[in-house]
Amino acid sequence: MVSPDIFLIGAAKAGTTTIAEWMTMNPDIALSKIKESNYFSKEIDPANFSKAFNSISSPIPAKYWKGEELEFIHQGFLRDSQLYARLFEHSIKGQKLADCSTSYFWSKKAPDLIKKNSPNAKVLLILRNPVDRAWSHYRMARKYGLTQESFLKELEKDF
């Protein structure tokens, strides 16, 4: 089993993608080939997500795993430990392994599983002003056609 040294966790729209990109520029860090593998969020099942969300977040195709070297992709929901290990095959001896999955922020199981698997890992938690974060999330939802409602209407629905 792979034991990452670094976990970057944060609220959606809090900047984890930017920080993950910075990590890829550091020769001492090997970032997972799937930025958000969500491996330790065992109770989160994409089958329970809305049809709208699943329409913009397709499952990882089987052919992805057939390549010799995996391409970098943004998101997936892995459950298989061997596939998870493949996400770090590109690492070089001495590099720190980094897993950046926003779902760990709200998963009930991820904290204990991460601690059990990687007890000495460093965990970076990224937060953002809640109003700015909500507005950014709303703008993304509008961009992808997930809502046509006003910002205030969407906030009401969330409550």
Side-chain angles (χ1 to χ4, degrees), residues 65-115:
W65 301 105
K66 294 183 178 169
E68 197 169 306
E69 185 173 334
L70 300 177
E71 294 178 36
F72 183 82
I73 61 175
H74 186 77
Q75 180 179 292
F77 283 85
L78 297 184
R79 297 297 175 248
D80 184 294
S81 62
Q82 291 179 326
L83 295 181
Y84 184 67
R86 285 222 45 215
L87 300 180
F88 300 96
E89 284 179 343
H90 65 288
S91 66
I92 299 167
K93 186 176 178 167
Q95 284 184 313
K96 302 289 185 189
L97 306 182
D99 179 336
C100 307
S101 295
T102 57
S103 70
Y104 300 160
F105 181 66
W106 39 277
S107 168
K108 289 179 175 33
K109 293 187 177 186
D112 289 334
L113 292 171
I114 288 169
K115 185 175 182 179

Side-chain angles (χ1 to χ4, degrees), residues 24-59:
T24 66
M25 294 180 225
N26 185 328
D28 295 328
I29 297 175
L31 181 67
S32 165
K33 285 292 186 166
I34 300 177
K35 185 246 177 188
E36 295 185 26
S37 69
N38 302 294
Y39 178 73
F40 293 98
S41 297
K42 300 295 187 185
E43 81 280 17
I44 298 172
D45 183 357
N48 296 326
F49 294 169
S50 70
K51 288 180 184 178
F53 179 82
N54 280 328
S55 72
I56 64 164
S57 183
S58 56

